[in-house]
Amino acid sequence: MGAVRAVARAERRTGLRGLLLLGVLFGLVAGVVLGTVALAERTRGAYPRLVDAVGLDDARVAVAADQPQLLADVRRLPGVREAWVTYSWVAQVRGQSLQFVSIGAGQNQPADLLHPVLVAGRTPAPDAPDEVLVSEPLAERRGLTVGSRIPVALLTLRQVSDFDVGFGPPEGPSTELTVVGVGRMPAWGGALANVLAGPAFAQRHAGYAAARPVFVRLTDDPGSAAAFTAGFTAAAARADAVSRSIVADYVPRTVELPRSDADPALATTEQTLVVGLAVVAAVLGMGGAVVVGQGVGRHHQLRREPQLVESALGMGAGQRVTARLLAAAPAAVVAALLAGALGLAAGRLEPLGSLARFEPEPGLRPPWAIAAVGAVATAALFLAIVGVAAAVTGSVRRRRPPAVRPAVTWWSRWPAVTVGVRMAVRGRGGGPGAVMAVAVAVLSVAGIVATLAFGASVDRLVHEPARYGQAADLTVADAREPDMARLVGDPRVAALATVYSSTVLLADGRPLPGSAAVARKGVIPVAVATGRLPTGYGEIALSPRVARELGVGVGDVLPVQTSGLWPIDFRVVGTVAVVDESGGLGDGALVAPLQLGQVSQGVPLVSAQIVAAPGRADALAADLGRDLELSGREMPAEVRNLADLLRLPEILAVTLTLVAGLALAHSLLSAARRHRRELTVLAALGATPGQVRATLAVLAATTVVPALLLGVPLGLGIARVLWWQVATSIGVSGELSVPWGVLAVAAPIALGAALVLAVLPRAARAAAR
């Protein structure tokens, strides 16, 4: 060990500065990788942490206000451990346009059940009947902030029952609500209103409630959710048999399971983000390891003679490597500290894209475990690179006698090709290092192409509303025939369709939002992913997500329940992007207009979809909004989640391009230096300067050309699979948009840049001379 320590001290005196520089470089790369891992972990865990932070309920139902017996039965259903009964109102927002909003409130709320995370402000005071908390999506959509005023008038139960035929001015009390907070939840809508008031509001206006939402905490039994669902379905049927509610068409008999019924598109978005960050981390790590490994290899190559002397004096290979590891220990510590610090600093980065909407703890969240484990792994990996480089450099290899080769071969007429390829694959610095360099280049090109193609597909979806079922500029709720006749004759209306919406039950009891459209003027396009639209009896088109979940495709048969005794077999004729009545994408089905009444559960809701003439949408909306409940085109949450990712593919592509470009530039710039001896021998044997430069060009092309030939199709394949998963999960077409123009320009630029980098360095010019 005395000799080991002496050699280590000598190595520190002569080479510590270079090792420290390599340690700083490796620490920076490892820190960025750890930061990327920390960001991916925070992105992945945002939604489950929000679920725990708000105390999300296990099940929820909405009971009509005129069915008190059903409300009492809910508390006694199997699987119920705790139930919080609330009130829900429908209110008209007073203003220039006709708008409605749902308000929810309750008393005696359990401490661990359904408390939104505050994004701004506070919760309504228990004794303040005019204070409300609004959902984050509603605040963004309506421009509401803390302090905003919302003048509303409540509807009576009878007016809610007449929603489809008109009811005149609201007959309930009028009040002005003050927004005191903005809340964040995993999901809003359904039984959970977008405007939440306090106990004082519930006490004052209880008699005008349209529904009584119940939020349930289930027992820990595995079958509690199924038992509760079955029990509520039976109890609702008994209540309807005694006295059917007058608002039954507007209070669905469905059980929501918020914890288990998370939006599949959310999981897909999370997977996309995490996979993208993992690709970046992998390419950064591999590129950094290759660059640092080459630097460490050159560092030890310059010190090969001392190892030979040490070997002649009796030091074994293990002792020589141990001495170099001891010498590199300070550099490893520097790399570990730098990587850990950067990993901790990444705690300020919040989840990417739409997952930022689910972060329950905005601000700094230090990833202590990732930073600590990553720092130790950084030091260990740096020492491993140093040890391998020292062992390879200090090994004494016996040379094999050259193999007997034919004097003339078919490639010997192009010596630059022969020598350039051999230098890249088998020459000094080749072997595993060359394979690693090509592998990094292939993965980098594949990552760049995949991110560009995925980004182009997202961009096309976001900017072509018809692709996500929102070709209409305006939608009129509860459209009546006089309104439709007026719209048909309006020259500002380019296309008009009457849409009937209801719930369709499959034979296994699964509910689907069903709809049918009747064209009244012009044509409103529908995005067909596969097949065609249903036109005749017994035909149905499904959302791509529903089709995938059911395992059916075009031509398959799907039994659907009817109002009669027997189900009807529908033939699937296509998959289409369709938005249901509540604005959800990916859960619906289309049938022929004449058959919707036969399979719908309840009275269909009627709406009108309008495509305005060019430049006339705003004027038309202002005119119609005075006496019709009108809504503009709203991007579904599933597409909005993807829209939040639009910059991510660009960032990933730029990052991968920089990392791959720097790694490739480093490799090519050092190629002439690594092979200077071989190039000098070639020049002495009669190679011209042009042949020397051609040899270096072939060496560069040997790395770049395989990367392009293998990386481009690999990247397109990855993007096609990833986009198909994302698209079908949200309910749109999985057709990939390939940026052929960008690829056609980028490929020759990459090859040209590699050739320039290979032949222009000083060592290459010196060898050519």
Side-chain angles (χ1 to χ4, degrees):
M1 288 303 297
V4 170
R5 288 193 294 270
V7 171
R9 287 195 296 270
E11 285 288 320
R12 287 199 190 101
R13 284 197 302 270
T14 59
L16 182 59
R17 181 180 300 175
L19 286 174
L20 287 176
L21 289 176
L22 290 171
V24 169
L25 176 61
F26 194 71
L28 288 174
V29 173
V32 175
V33 171
L34 291 180
T36 305
V37 172
L39 180 58
E41 175 59 26
R42 188 169 186 179
T43 300
R44 185 197 61 80
Y47 183 81
R49 285 187 287 109
L50 180 61
V51 167
D52 294 336
V54 303
L56 193 64
D57 50 314
D58 300 314
R60 63 182 65 157
V61 295
V63 178
D66 55 352
Q67 288 187 320
Q69 184 56 47
L70 176 58
L71 187 65
D73 292 341
V74 171
R75 297 174 179 272
R76 299 189 294 267
L77 292 178
V80 175
R81 185 175 68 190
E82 186 178 34
W84 181 41
V85 181
T86 64
Y87 299 86
S88 178
W89 297 263
V90 178
Q92 180 179 328
V93 180
R94 292 179 296 173
Q96 294 182 351
S97 60
L98 189 61
Q99 297 179 359
F100 294 90
V101 67
S102 62
I103 304 174
Q107 297 174 316
N108 303 319
Q109 182 176 2
D112 61 344
L113 185 64
L114 213 63
H115 292 274
V117 169
L118 287 174
V119 177
R122 58 176 175 83
T123 57
D127 58 347
D130 60 342
E131 293 184 352
V132 294
L133 179 145
V134 298
S135 69
E136 193 175 16
L138 180 64
E140 294 176 356
R141 189 165 60 247
R142 300 284 178 87
L144 301 175
T145 59
V146 174
S148 297
R149 300 295 183 90
I150 310 175
V152 298
L154 302 182
L155 272 61
T156 63
L157 190 65
R158 183 195 60 79
Q159 288 183 309
V160 173
S161 68
D162 293 336
F163 219 86
D164 59 336
V165 296
F167 45 79
E171 298 176 358
S174 297
T175 184
E176 187 173 62
L177 304 176
T178 301
V179 177
V180 298
V182 179
R184 176 173 292 175
M185 287 284 291
W188 298 85
L192 181 62
N194 280 274
V195 178
L196 300 179
F201 186 94
Q203 183 177 6
R204 175 174 295 185
H205 303 293
Y208 295 94
R212 303 294 304 275
V214 184
F215 302 92
V216 177
R217 179 75 69 206
L218 298 174
T219 61
D220 296 331
D221 298 335
S224 59
F228 177 80
T229 301
F232 178 77
T233 302
R238 291 194 300 270
D240 289 341
V242 174
S243 175
R244 181 174 173 81
S245 170
I246 62 173
V247 293
D249 294 334
Y250 303 101
V251 181
R253 293 288 193 266
T254 56
V255 176
E256 301 177 52
L257 303 173
R259 285 183 175 265
S260 57
D261 290 346
D263 186 0
L266 177 66
T268 304
T269 304
E270 175 188 301
Q271 179 185 5
T272 302
L273 288 168
V274 172
V275 170
L277 292 173
V279 170
V280 171
V283 174
L284 281 172
M286 293 181 66
V290 169
V291 172
V292 173
Q294 290 175 344
V296 172
R298 287 195 302 274
H299 175 86
H300 287 293
Q301 185 67 35
L302 295 174
R303 291 163 176 76
R304 186 170 185 269
E305 286 73 12
Q307 285 210 56
L308 298 179
V309 174
E310 296 161 11
S311 176
L313 292 176
M315 288 187 70
Q319 293 174 311
R320 298 197 303 274
V321 171
T322 302
R324 271 95 192 148
L325 291 177
L326 290 176
V333 172
V334 170
L337 292 176
L338 189 56
L342 290 177
L344 284 177
R348 299 197 64 87
L349 301 176
E350 296 194 8
L352 287 180
S354 58
L355 272 299
R357 303 172 186 269
F358 302 104
E359 174 56 55
E361 306 171 53
L364 177 64
R365 192 171 184 270
W368 295 106
I370 292 176
V373 174
V376 174
T378 299
L381 185 56
F382 183 79
L383 292 177
I385 293 175
V386 171
V388 170
V392 171
T393 303
S395 63
V396 180
R397 297 184 294 271
R398 293 183 179 180
R399 297 184 178 273
R400 293 184 178 183
V404 178
R405 299 182 182 275
V408 179
T409 59
W410 66 271
W411 64 81
S412 60
R413 299 177 183 178
W414 298 281
V417 176
T418 304
V419 178
V421 173
R422 285 179 62 83
M423 281 184 179
V425 178
R426 297 180 60 186
R428 185 184 301 177
V435 174
M436 179 62 72
V438 173
V440 171
V442 170
L443 292 178
S444 300
V445 171
I448 294 169
V449 172
T451 53
L452 288 176
F454 184 85
S457 301
V458 174
D459 184 76
R460 183 178 63 177
L461 174 66
V462 170
H463 291 96
E464 296 182 14
R467 289 187 171 272
Y468 55 81
Q470 287 281 32
D473 297 310
L474 302 170
T475 300
V476 179
D478 301 309
R480 295 180 290 273
E481 185 55 35
D483 301 324
M484 299 296 293
R486 176 163 60 108
L487 292 172
V488 169
D490 195 322
R492 297 170 297 179
V493 176
L496 174 68
T498 304
V499 179
Y500 302 89
S501 305
S502 184
T503 300
V504 175
L505 286 181
L506 302 182
D508 59 0
R510 171 173 175 163
L512 291 180
S515 60
V518 178
R520 302 292 298 269
K521 181 180 180 180
V523 176
I524 297 181
V526 178
V528 178
T530 59
R532 59 176 176 83
L533 296 175
T535 57
Y537 185 84
E539 294 182 346
I540 190 171
L542 303 173
S543 160
R545 182 167 76 192
V546 173
R548 188 177 71 170
E549 293 173 354
L550 296 176
V552 298
V554 176
D556 292 335
V557 174
L558 190 66
V560 176
Q561 295 184 18
T562 67
S563 54
L565 298 177
W566 308 105
I568 296 177
D569 287 338
F570 277 75
R571 184 168 299 278
V572 179
V573 297
T575 56
V576 298
V578 56
V579 176
D580 59 37
E581 182 69 20
S582 61
L585 172 66
D587 292 326
L590 291 179
V591 298
L594 296 177
Q595 201 166 8
L596 180 64
Q598 186 179 9
V599 296
S600 66
Q601 306 296 314
V603 179
L605 300 177
V606 184
S607 60
Q609 292 187 352
I610 303 171
V611 175
R616 309 297 297 274
D618 293 339
L620 183 62
D623 187 15
L624 298 179
R626 296 188 182 96
D627 55 355
L628 295 177
E629 185 183 356
L630 198 67
S631 60
R633 178 188 294 134
E634 289 188 7
M635 185 178 292
E638 298 85 351
V639 180
R640 188 172 64 248
N641 291 343
L642 289 179
D644 292 336
L645 304 182
L646 272 177
R647 297 300 302 275
L648 179 62
E650 299 175 2
I651 295 173
L652 293 182
V654 171
T655 303
L656 292 176
T657 301
L658 288 176
V659 173
L662 290 175
L664 182 62
H666 177 272
S667 177
L668 296 178
L669 289 173
S670 61
R673 189 182 304 111
R674 291 200 313 270
H675 297 289
R676 186 169 183 176
R677 176 171 179 156
E678 289 88 339
L679 297 174
T680 305
V681 171
L682 287 176
L685 292 175
T688 65
Q691 289 175 320
V692 173
R693 291 191 177 92
T695 301
L696 290 172
V698 171
L699 187 150
T702 305
T703 300
V704 177
V705 172
L708 294 175
L709 293 179
L710 298 177
V712 171
L714 178 61
L716 291 178
I718 294 173
R720 193 173 301 279
V721 172
L722 182 60
W723 176 245
W724 182 85
Q725 291 181 338
V726 171
T728 54
S729 70
I730 67 173
V732 297
S733 173
E735 179 186 2
L736 184 70
S737 177
V738 181
W740 292 113
V742 176
L743 298 181
V745 173
I749 290 178
L751 182 57
L755 296 179
V756 171
L757 288 172
V759 301
L760 284 186
R762 183 174 59 183
R765 294 196 299 271
R769 289 195 300 269

